[in-house]
PDB file of all heavy atoms in Angstrom:
ATOM      1  N   PHE D   1       0.872  -1.209   0.040  1.00 97.00           N
ATOM      2  CA  PHE D   1      -0.014  -0.022   0.039  1.00 97.00           C
ATOM      3  C   PHE D   1       0.897   1.212  -0.028  1.00 97.00           C
ATOM      4  O   PHE D   1       1.923   1.296   0.670  1.00 97.00           O
ATOM      5  CB  PHE D   1      -0.860   0.079   1.293  1.00 97.00           C
ATOM      6  CG  PHE D   1      -1.843  -1.022   1.372  1.00 97.00           C
ATOM      7  CD1 PHE D   1      -1.530  -2.202   2.076  1.00 97.00           C
ATOM      8  CD2 PHE D   1      -3.079  -0.919   0.830  1.00 97.00           C
ATOM      9  CE1 PHE D   1      -2.457  -3.234   2.165  1.00 97.00           C
ATOM     10  CE2 PHE D   1      -4.035  -1.979   1.000  1.00 97.00           C
ATOM     11  CZ  PHE D   1      -3.738  -3.114   1.634  1.00 97.00           C
ATOM     12  N   ALA D   2       0.472   2.248  -0.711  1.00 93.00           N
ATOM     13  CA  ALA D   2       1.141   3.640  -0.693  1.00 93.00           C
ATOM     14  C   ALA D   2      -0.042   4.593  -0.621  1.00 93.00           C
ATOM     15  O   ALA D   2      -1.178   4.356  -0.720  1.00 93.00           O
ATOM     16  CB  ALA D   2       1.895   3.747  -2.015  1.00 93.00           C
ATOM     17  N   ASP D   3       0.381   5.844  -0.372  1.00 80.00           N
ATOM     18  CA  ASP D   3      -0.556   6.962  -0.371  1.00 80.00           C
ATOM     19  C   ASP D   3      -1.696   6.739   0.570  1.00 80.00           C
ATOM     20  O   ASP D   3      -2.887   7.095   0.225  1.00 80.00           O
ATOM     21  CB  ASP D   3      -1.108   7.325  -1.744  1.00 80.00           C
ATOM     22  CG  ASP D   3      -0.011   7.555  -2.770  1.00 80.00           C
ATOM     23  OD1 ASP D   3       1.107   8.073  -2.342  1.00 80.00           O
ATOM     24  OD2 ASP D   3      -0.153   7.210  -3.953  1.00 80.00           O
ATOM     25  N   GLY D   4      -1.461   6.255   1.756  1.00 76.00           N
ATOM     26  CA  GLY D   4      -2.533   6.063   2.770  1.00 76.00           C
ATOM     27  C   GLY D   4      -3.531   4.987   2.390  1.00 76.00           C
ATOM     28  O   GLY D   4      -4.646   5.101   2.905  1.00 76.00           O
ATOM     29  N   GLY D   5      -3.249   4.049   1.560  1.00 86.00           N
ATOM     30  CA  GLY D   5      -4.182   2.955   1.316  1.00 86.00           C
ATOM     31  C   GLY D   5      -4.356   2.539  -0.102  1.00 86.00           C
ATOM     32  O   GLY D   5      -4.984   1.484  -0.337  1.00 86.00           O
ATOM     33  N   ARG D   6      -3.648   3.139  -1.060  1.00 93.00           N
ATOM     34  CA  ARG D   6      -3.749   2.708  -2.494  1.00 93.00           C
ATOM     35  C   ARG D   6      -2.858   1.513  -2.654  1.00 93.00           C
ATOM     36  O   ARG D   6      -1.713   1.532  -2.337  1.00 93.00           O
ATOM     37  CB  ARG D   6      -3.316   3.822  -3.368  1.00 93.00           C
ATOM     38  CG  ARG D   6      -3.405   3.557  -4.838  1.00 93.00           C
ATOM     39  CD  ARG D   6      -3.127   4.762  -5.645  1.00 93.00           C
ATOM     40  NE  ARG D   6      -1.852   5.295  -5.380  1.00 93.00           N
ATOM     41  CZ  ARG D   6      -0.700   5.110  -6.138  1.00 93.00           C
ATOM     42  NH1 ARG D   6      -0.789   4.349  -7.203  1.00 93.00           N
ATOM     43  NH2 ARG D   6       0.339   5.687  -5.744  1.00 93.00           N
ATOM     44  N   VAL D   7      -3.405   0.402  -3.103  1.00 96.00           N
ATOM     45  CA  VAL D   7      -2.658  -0.830  -3.450  1.00 96.00           C
ATOM     46  C   VAL D   7      -1.855  -0.627  -4.710  1.00 96.00           C
ATOM     47  O   VAL D   7      -2.427  -0.394  -5.771  1.00 96.00           O
ATOM     48  CB  VAL D   7      -3.556  -2.139  -3.633  1.00 96.00           C
ATOM     49  CG1 VAL D   7      -2.787  -3.257  -4.030  1.00 96.00           C
ATOM     50  CG2 VAL D   7      -4.301  -2.352  -2.231  1.00 96.00           C
ATOM     51  N   ILE D   8      -0.584  -0.787  -4.662  1.00 94.00           N
ATOM     52  CA  ILE D   8       0.297  -0.554  -5.817  1.00 94.00           C
ATOM     53  C   ILE D   8       0.847  -1.957  -6.346  1.00 94.00           C
ATOM     54  O   ILE D   8       1.307  -1.990  -7.478  1.00 94.00           O
ATOM     55  CB  ILE D   8       1.368   0.428  -5.658  1.00 94.00           C
ATOM     56  CG1 ILE D   8       2.332  -0.044  -4.542  1.00 94.00           C
ATOM     57  CG2 ILE D   8       0.829   1.810  -5.419  1.00 94.00           C
ATOM     58  CD1 ILE D   8       3.535   0.900  -4.458  1.00 94.00           C
ATOM     59  N   LYS D   9       0.818  -2.957  -5.536  1.00 96.00           N
ATOM     60  CA  LYS D   9       1.286  -4.286  -5.919  1.00 96.00           C
ATOM     61  C   LYS D   9       0.612  -5.390  -5.089  1.00 96.00           C
ATOM     62  O   LYS D   9       0.484  -5.130  -3.843  1.00 96.00           O
ATOM     63  CB  LYS D   9       2.752  -4.359  -5.896  1.00 96.00           C
ATOM     64  CG  LYS D   9       3.371  -5.744  -6.282  1.00 96.00           C
ATOM     65  CD  LYS D   9       3.132  -5.960  -7.787  1.00 96.00           C
ATOM     66  CE  LYS D   9       3.779  -7.285  -8.165  1.00 96.00           C
ATOM     67  NZ  LYS D   9       3.593  -7.640  -9.540  1.00 96.00           N
ATOM     68  N   SER D  10       0.242  -6.454  -5.654  1.00 97.00           N
ATOM     69  CA  SER D  10      -0.262  -7.560  -4.852  1.00 97.00           C
ATOM     70  C   SER D  10       0.379  -8.820  -5.382  1.00 97.00           C
ATOM     71  O   SER D  10       0.778  -8.973  -6.580  1.00 97.00           O
ATOM     72  CB  SER D  10      -1.802  -7.682  -5.159  1.00 97.00           C
ATOM     73  OG  SER D  10      -2.464  -6.643  -4.566  1.00 97.00           O
ATOM     74  N   MET D  11       0.579  -9.728  -4.466  1.00 97.00           N
ATOM     75  CA  MET D  11       1.065 -11.087  -4.808  1.00 97.00           C
ATOM     76  C   MET D  11       0.138 -12.131  -4.235  1.00 97.00           C
ATOM     77  O   MET D  11      -0.383 -11.913  -3.081  1.00 97.00           O
ATOM     78  CB  MET D  11       2.453 -11.361  -4.131  1.00 97.00           C
ATOM     79  CG  MET D  11       3.546 -10.633  -4.667  1.00 97.00           C
ATOM     80  SD  MET D  11       5.101 -11.070  -3.763  1.00 97.00           S
ATOM     81  CE  MET D  11       6.240  -9.996  -4.500  1.00 97.00           C
ATOM     82  N   ARG D  12      -0.141 -13.178  -4.892  1.00 97.00           N
ATOM     83  CA  ARG D  12      -1.015 -14.225  -4.399  1.00 97.00           C
ATOM     84  C   ARG D  12      -0.325 -15.642  -4.656  1.00 97.00           C
ATOM     85  O   ARG D  12       0.109 -15.840  -5.805  1.00 97.00           O
ATOM     86  CB  ARG D  12      -2.340 -14.174  -5.160  1.00 97.00           C
ATOM     87  CG  ARG D  12      -3.346 -15.200  -4.728  1.00 97.00           C
ATOM     88  CD  ARG D  12      -4.530 -15.064  -5.475  1.00 97.00           C
ATOM     89  NE  ARG D  12      -5.360 -16.343  -5.329  1.00 97.00           N
ATOM     90  CZ  ARG D  12      -6.741 -16.338  -5.387  1.00 97.00           C
ATOM     91  NH1 ARG D  12      -7.357 -15.185  -5.484  1.00 97.00           N
ATOM     92  NH2 ARG D  12      -7.350 -17.412  -5.154  1.00 97.00           N
ATOM     93  N   THR D  13      -0.317 -16.379  -3.702  1.00 97.00           N
ATOM     94  CA  THR D  13       0.173 -17.741  -3.837  1.00 97.00           C
ATOM     95  C   THR D  13      -0.857 -18.691  -3.320  1.00 97.00           C
ATOM     96  O   THR D  13      -1.394 -18.682  -2.208  1.00 97.00           O
ATOM     97  CB  THR D  13       1.503 -17.930  -2.916  1.00 97.00           C
ATOM     98  OG1 THR D  13       2.427 -17.011  -3.363  1.00 97.00           O
ATOM     99  CG2 THR D  13       2.077 -19.352  -3.026  1.00 97.00           C
ATOM    100  N   ASP D  14      -1.198 -19.650  -4.154  1.00 97.00           N
ATOM    101  CA  ASP D  14      -2.134 -20.759  -3.890  1.00 97.00           C
ATOM    102  C   ASP D  14      -1.389 -21.895  -3.118  1.00 97.00           C
ATOM    103  O   ASP D  14      -0.273 -22.246  -3.501  1.00 97.00           O
ATOM    104  CB  ASP D  14      -2.826 -21.301  -5.146  1.00 97.00           C
ATOM    105  CG  ASP D  14      -3.747 -22.381  -4.871  1.00 97.00           C
ATOM    106  OD1 ASP D  14      -4.862 -22.070  -4.393  1.00 97.00           O
ATOM    107  OD2 ASP D  14      -3.533 -23.566  -5.158  1.00 97.00           O
ATOM    108  N   TYR D  15      -2.044 -22.456  -2.113  1.00 96.00           N
ATOM    109  CA  TYR D  15      -1.463 -23.533  -1.398  1.00 96.00           C
ATOM    110  C   TYR D  15      -2.425 -24.785  -1.232  1.00 96.00           C
ATOM    111  O   TYR D  15      -2.302 -25.585  -0.319  1.00 96.00           O
ATOM    112  CB  TYR D  15      -0.873 -23.176  -0.091  1.00 96.00           C
ATOM    113  CG  TYR D  15      -1.821 -22.641   1.030  1.00 96.00           C
ATOM    114  CD1 TYR D  15      -2.505 -23.571   1.784  1.00 96.00           C
ATOM    115  CD2 TYR D  15      -2.017 -21.303   1.210  1.00 96.00           C
ATOM    116  CE1 TYR D  15      -3.365 -23.133   2.855  1.00 96.00           C
ATOM    117  CE2 TYR D  15      -2.880 -20.871   2.217  1.00 96.00           C
ATOM    118  CZ  TYR D  15      -3.578 -21.835   2.971  1.00 96.00           C
ATOM    119  OH  TYR D  15      -4.364 -21.418   3.975  1.00 96.00           O
ATOM    120  N   ALA D  16      -3.303 -24.930  -2.120  1.00 96.00           N
ATOM    121  CA  ALA D  16      -4.272 -25.947  -2.122  1.00 96.00           C
ATOM    122  C   ALA D  16      -3.669 -27.350  -1.970  1.00 96.00           C
ATOM    123  O   ALA D  16      -4.120 -28.236  -1.260  1.00 96.00           O
ATOM    124  CB  ALA D  16      -5.231 -25.925  -3.399  1.00 96.00           C
ATOM    125  N   GLU D  17      -2.466 -27.572  -2.583  1.00 95.00           N
ATOM    126  CA  GLU D  17      -1.795 -28.815  -2.533  1.00 95.00           C
ATOM    127  C   GLU D  17      -1.295 -29.185  -1.178  1.00 95.00           C
ATOM    128  O   GLU D  17      -1.041 -30.296  -0.892  1.00 95.00           O
ATOM    129  CB  GLU D  17      -0.592 -28.763  -3.569  1.00 95.00           C
ATOM    130  CG  GLU D  17       0.452 -27.822  -3.163  1.00 95.00           C
ATOM    131  CD  GLU D  17       1.493 -27.647  -4.270  1.00 95.00           C
ATOM    132  OE1 GLU D  17       2.381 -28.538  -4.365  1.00 95.00           O
ATOM    133  OE2 GLU D  17       1.351 -26.753  -5.064  1.00 95.00           O
ATOM    134  N   PHE D  18      -1.265 -28.163  -0.241  1.00 94.00           N
ATOM    135  CA  PHE D  18      -0.763 -28.410   1.090  1.00 94.00           C
ATOM    136  C   PHE D  18      -1.822 -28.378   2.178  1.00 94.00           C
ATOM    137  O   PHE D  18      -1.463 -28.588   3.364  1.00 94.00           O
ATOM    138  CB  PHE D  18       0.285 -27.330   1.474  1.00 94.00           C
ATOM    139  CG  PHE D  18       1.489 -27.300   0.596  1.00 94.00           C
ATOM    140  CD1 PHE D  18       1.689 -26.119  -0.180  1.00 94.00           C
ATOM    141  CD2 PHE D  18       2.338 -28.404   0.383  1.00 94.00           C
ATOM    142  CE1 PHE D  18       2.815 -26.049  -1.020  1.00 94.00           C
ATOM    143  CE2 PHE D  18       3.427 -28.298  -0.477  1.00 94.00           C
ATOM    144  CZ  PHE D  18       3.581 -27.132  -1.246  1.00 94.00           C
ATOM    145  N   VAL D  19      -3.064 -28.337   1.875  1.00 93.00           N
ATOM    146  CA  VAL D  19      -4.179 -28.228   2.863  1.00 93.00           C
ATOM    147  C   VAL D  19      -4.124 -29.351   3.801  1.00 93.00           C
ATOM    148  O   VAL D  19      -4.322 -29.247   5.025  1.00 93.00           O
ATOM    149  CB  VAL D  19      -5.485 -28.069   2.134  1.00 93.00           C
ATOM    150  CG1 VAL D  19      -6.629 -28.232   3.058  1.00 93.00           C
ATOM    151  CG2 VAL D  19      -5.622 -26.596   1.529  1.00 93.00           C
ATOM    152  N   ASP D  20      -3.848 -30.553   3.236  1.00 92.00           N
ATOM    153  CA  ASP D  20      -3.951 -31.808   4.119  1.00 92.00           C
ATOM    154  C   ASP D  20      -2.540 -32.204   4.634  1.00 92.00           C
ATOM    155  O   ASP D  20      -2.476 -33.247   5.260  1.00 92.00           O
ATOM    156  CB  ASP D  20      -4.575 -32.960   3.426  1.00 92.00           C
ATOM    157  CG  ASP D  20      -6.017 -32.613   3.133  1.00 92.00           C
ATOM    158  OD1 ASP D  20      -6.765 -32.073   3.996  1.00 92.00           O
ATOM    159  OD2 ASP D  20      -6.549 -33.039   1.983  1.00 92.00           O
ATOM    160  N   HIS D  21      -1.566 -31.430   4.440  1.00 93.00           N
ATOM    161  CA  HIS D  21      -0.173 -31.756   4.760  1.00 93.00           C
ATOM    162  C   HIS D  21      -0.069 -31.691   6.336  1.00 93.00           C
ATOM    163  O   HIS D  21      -0.616 -30.676   6.908  1.00 93.00           O
ATOM    164  CB  HIS D  21       0.860 -30.782   4.151  1.00 93.00           C
ATOM    165  CG  HIS D  21       2.200 -31.321   4.272  1.00 93.00           C
ATOM    166  ND1 HIS D  21       2.916 -31.139   5.421  1.00 93.00           N
ATOM    167  CD2 HIS D  21       3.029 -31.888   3.368  1.00 93.00           C
ATOM    168  CE1 HIS D  21       4.177 -31.614   5.321  1.00 93.00           C
ATOM    169  NE2 HIS D  21       4.202 -32.076   4.000  1.00 93.00           N
ATOM    170  N   PRO D  22       0.516 -32.653   6.990  1.00 93.00           N
ATOM    171  CA  PRO D  22       0.625 -32.672   8.516  1.00 93.00           C
ATOM    172  C   PRO D  22       1.282 -31.417   9.031  1.00 93.00           C
ATOM    173  O   PRO D  22       1.079 -30.960  10.171  1.00 93.00           O
ATOM    174  CB  PRO D  22       1.333 -33.929   8.868  1.00 93.00           C
ATOM    175  CG  PRO D  22       1.947 -34.427   7.524  1.00 93.00           C
ATOM    176  CD  PRO D  22       1.097 -33.754   6.384  1.00 93.00           C
ATOM    177  N   ASP D  23       2.224 -30.854   8.260  1.00 95.00           N
ATOM    178  CA  ASP D  23       2.988 -29.627   8.704  1.00 95.00           C
ATOM    179  C   ASP D  23       2.381 -28.320   8.095  1.00 95.00           C
ATOM    180  O   ASP D  23       3.177 -27.356   8.011  1.00 95.00           O
ATOM    181  CB  ASP D  23       4.449 -29.752   8.458  1.00 95.00           C
ATOM    182  CG  ASP D  23       5.108 -30.817   9.228  1.00 95.00           C
ATOM    183  OD1 ASP D  23       4.733 -31.045  10.364  1.00 95.00           O
ATOM    184  OD2 ASP D  23       6.013 -31.501   8.753  1.00 95.00           O
ATOM    185  N   ARG D  24       1.164 -28.379   7.659  1.00 94.00           N
ATOM    186  CA  ARG D  24       0.528 -27.243   6.962  1.00 94.00           C
ATOM    187  C   ARG D  24       0.731 -25.874   7.700  1.00 94.00           C
ATOM    188  O   ARG D  24       1.271 -24.928   7.021  1.00 94.00           O
ATOM    189  CB  ARG D  24      -0.952 -27.440   6.754  1.00 94.00           C
ATOM    190  CG  ARG D  24      -1.565 -26.279   5.995  1.00 94.00           C
ATOM    191  CD  ARG D  24      -3.097 -26.358   6.022  1.00 94.00           C
ATOM    192  NE  ARG D  24      -3.641 -26.521   7.296  1.00 94.00           N
ATOM    193  CZ  ARG D  24      -3.852 -25.560   8.154  1.00 94.00           C
ATOM    194  NH1 ARG D  24      -3.543 -24.392   7.965  1.00 94.00           N
ATOM    195  NH2 ARG D  24      -4.366 -25.872   9.376  1.00 94.00           N
ATOM    196  N   PRO D  25       0.453 -25.785   8.986  1.00 94.00           N
ATOM    197  CA  PRO D  25       0.669 -24.435   9.598  1.00 94.00           C
ATOM    198  C   PRO D  25       2.116 -23.877   9.454  1.00 94.00           C
ATOM    199  O   PRO D  25       2.306 -22.763   9.143  1.00 94.00           O
ATOM    200  CB  PRO D  25       0.298 -24.694  11.098  1.00 94.00           C
ATOM    201  CG  PRO D  25      -0.685 -25.782  11.011  1.00 94.00           C
ATOM    202  CD  PRO D  25      -0.134 -26.748   9.953  1.00 94.00           C
ATOM    203  N   ALA D  26       3.080 -24.750   9.700  1.00 96.00           N
ATOM    204  CA  ALA D  26       4.443 -24.305   9.633  1.00 96.00           C
ATOM    205  C   ALA D  26       4.881 -23.960   8.271  1.00 96.00           C
ATOM    206  O   ALA D  26       5.609 -22.981   7.974  1.00 96.00           O
ATOM    207  CB  ALA D  26       5.430 -25.435  10.173  1.00 96.00           C
ATOM    208  N   MET D  27       4.394 -24.807   7.226  1.00 95.00           N
ATOM    209  CA  MET D  27       4.641 -24.582   5.847  1.00 95.00           C
ATOM    210  C   MET D  27       4.013 -23.251   5.392  1.00 95.00           C
ATOM    211  O   MET D  27       4.742 -22.384   4.657  1.00 95.00           O
ATOM    212  CB  MET D  27       4.138 -25.676   4.986  1.00 95.00           C
ATOM    213  CG  MET D  27       4.894 -26.991   5.165  1.00 95.00           C
ATOM    214  SD  MET D  27       4.209 -28.339   4.253  1.00 95.00           S
ATOM    215  CE  MET D  27       4.563 -27.813   2.621  1.00 95.00           C
ATOM    216  N   ILE D  28       2.807 -22.972   5.756  1.00 96.00           N
ATOM    217  CA  ILE D  28       2.087 -21.729   5.258  1.00 96.00           C
ATOM    218  C   ILE D  28       2.707 -20.600   5.979  1.00 96.00           C
ATOM    219  O   ILE D  28       2.916 -19.527   5.286  1.00 96.00           O
ATOM    220  CB  ILE D  28       0.611 -21.897   5.575  1.00 96.00           C
ATOM    221  CG1 ILE D  28      -0.047 -23.142   4.929  1.00 96.00           C
ATOM    222  CG2 ILE D  28      -0.117 -20.608   5.203  1.00 96.00           C
ATOM    223  CD1 ILE D  28       0.333 -23.315   3.503  1.00 96.00           C
ATOM    224  N   HIS D  29       3.045 -20.717   7.266  1.00 96.00           N
ATOM    225  CA  HIS D  29       3.741 -19.586   7.901  1.00 96.00           C
ATOM    226  C   HIS D  29       5.041 -19.229   7.192  1.00 96.00           C
ATOM    227  O   HIS D  29       5.381 -18.042   6.960  1.00 96.00           O
ATOM    228  CB  HIS D  29       3.991 -19.919   9.410  1.00 96.00           C
ATOM    229  CG  HIS D  29       4.486 -18.785  10.143  1.00 96.00           C
ATOM    230  ND1 HIS D  29       5.759 -18.466  10.383  1.00 96.00           N
ATOM    231  CD2 HIS D  29       3.804 -17.742  10.859  1.00 96.00           C
ATOM    232  CE1 HIS D  29       5.981 -17.412  11.089  1.00 96.00           C
ATOM    233  NE2 HIS D  29       4.720 -16.954  11.358  1.00 96.00           N
ATOM    234  N   ARG D  30       5.790 -20.217   6.858  1.00 97.00           N
ATOM    235  CA  ARG D  30       7.070 -19.992   6.141  1.00 97.00           C
ATOM    236  C   ARG D  30       6.833 -19.317   4.781  1.00 97.00           C
ATOM    237  O   ARG D  30       7.461 -18.390   4.358  1.00 97.00           O
ATOM    238  CB  ARG D  30       7.831 -21.262   5.944  1.00 97.00           C
ATOM    239  CG  ARG D  30       9.218 -21.050   5.364  1.00 97.00           C
ATOM    240  CD  ARG D  30      10.095 -22.352   5.333  1.00 97.00           C
ATOM    241  NE  ARG D  30       9.387 -23.490   4.771  1.00 97.00           N
ATOM    242  CZ  ARG D  30       8.939 -24.610   5.465  1.00 97.00           C
ATOM    243  NH1 ARG D  30       9.090 -24.602   6.802  1.00 97.00           N
ATOM    244  NH2 ARG D  30       8.309 -25.531   4.901  1.00 97.00           N
ATOM    245  N   MET D  31       5.860 -19.843   4.026  1.00 97.00           N
ATOM    246  CA  MET D  31       5.475 -19.231   2.754  1.00 97.00           C
ATOM    247  C   MET D  31       5.034 -17.789   2.878  1.00 97.00           C
ATOM    248  O   MET D  31       5.452 -16.932   2.076  1.00 97.00           O
ATOM    249  CB  MET D  31       4.354 -20.035   2.097  1.00 97.00           C
ATOM    250  CG  MET D  31       4.783 -21.412   1.581  1.00 97.00           C
ATOM    251  SD  MET D  31       3.427 -22.461   1.094  1.00 97.00           S
ATOM    252  CE  MET D  31       2.876 -21.592  -0.401  1.00 97.00           C
ATOM    253  N   MET D  32       4.267 -17.545   3.966  1.00 97.00           N
ATOM    254  CA  MET D  32       3.808 -16.085   4.253  1.00 97.00           C
ATOM    255  C   MET D  32       4.971 -15.207   4.418  1.00 97.00           C
ATOM    256  O   MET D  32       5.067 -14.040   3.949  1.00 97.00           O
ATOM    257  CB  MET D  32       2.858 -16.097   5.307  1.00 97.00           C
ATOM    258  CG  MET D  32       1.560 -16.679   5.099  1.00 97.00           C
ATOM    259  SD  MET D  32       0.513 -16.859   6.583  1.00 97.00           S
ATOM    260  CE  MET D  32       0.176 -15.197   7.034  1.00 97.00           C
ATOM    261  N   ARG D  33       5.957 -15.628   5.338  1.00 97.00           N
ATOM    262  CA  ARG D  33       7.149 -14.900   5.659  1.00 97.00           C
ATOM    263  C   ARG D  33       7.957 -14.556   4.449  1.00 97.00           C
ATOM    264  O   ARG D  33       8.389 -13.501   4.195  1.00 97.00           O
ATOM    265  CB  ARG D  33       7.870 -15.619   6.743  1.00 97.00           C
ATOM    266  CG  ARG D  33       9.080 -14.843   7.361  1.00 97.00           C
ATOM    267  CD  ARG D  33       9.837 -15.509   8.419  1.00 97.00           C
ATOM    268  NE  ARG D  33      10.323 -16.825   7.924  1.00 97.00           N
ATOM    269  CZ  ARG D  33       9.962 -17.996   8.386  1.00 97.00           C
ATOM    270  NH1 ARG D  33       9.082 -18.129   9.310  1.00 97.00           N
ATOM    271  NH2 ARG D  33      10.592 -19.065   7.905  1.00 97.00           N
ATOM    272  N   GLU D  34       8.125 -15.606   3.607  1.00 97.00           N
ATOM    273  CA  GLU D  34       8.986 -15.432   2.434  1.00 97.00           C
ATOM    274  C   GLU D  34       8.289 -14.464   1.452  1.00 97.00           C
ATOM    275  O   GLU D  34       8.962 -13.638   0.838  1.00 97.00           O
ATOM    276  CB  GLU D  34       9.235 -16.846   1.797  1.00 97.00           C
ATOM    277  CG  GLU D  34      10.175 -17.730   2.534  1.00 97.00           C
ATOM    278  CD  GLU D  34      10.279 -19.043   2.082  1.00 97.00           C
ATOM    279  OE1 GLU D  34       9.579 -19.480   1.067  1.00 97.00           O
ATOM    280  OE2 GLU D  34      10.986 -19.889   2.735  1.00 97.00           O
ATOM    281  N   GLN D  35       6.971 -14.596   1.241  1.00 98.00           N
ATOM    282  CA  GLN D  35       6.304 -13.695   0.324  1.00 98.00           C
ATOM    283  C   GLN D  35       6.312 -12.298   0.822  1.00 98.00           C
ATOM    284  O   GLN D  35       6.548 -11.310   0.060  1.00 98.00           O
ATOM    285  CB  GLN D  35       4.870 -14.214   0.112  1.00 98.00           C
ATOM    286  CG  GLN D  35       4.132 -13.423  -0.925  1.00 98.00           C
ATOM    287  CD  GLN D  35       2.840 -14.175  -1.286  1.00 98.00           C
ATOM    288  OE1 GLN D  35       2.901 -15.238  -1.886  1.00 98.00           O
ATOM    289  NE2 GLN D  35       1.700 -13.502  -1.062  1.00 98.00           N
TER     290      GLN D  35
END
């Protein structure tokens, strides 16, 4: 966000393949941090 709220860039990562993974929370947290 810039200028008090205007979105200037967005990134989206799908993780459907990891929904049932036993370490899903840790994996998703790592993906979030990296993104």
Side-chain angles (χ1 to χ4, degrees):
F1 297 92
D3 302 329
R6 182 173 57 99
V7 176
I8 60 172
K9 179 67 178 177
S10 294
M11 292 180 179
R12 178 182 168 146
T13 301
D14 180 72
Y15 65 85
E17 65 190 276
F18 301 117
V19 166
D20 294 322
H21 194 283
D23 293 328
R24 180 192 50 80
M27 291 176 71
I28 303 313
H29 187 266
R30 183 173 52 252
M31 291 170 68
M32 290 171 65
R33 186 177 60 242
E34 289 170 2
Q35 184 166 297

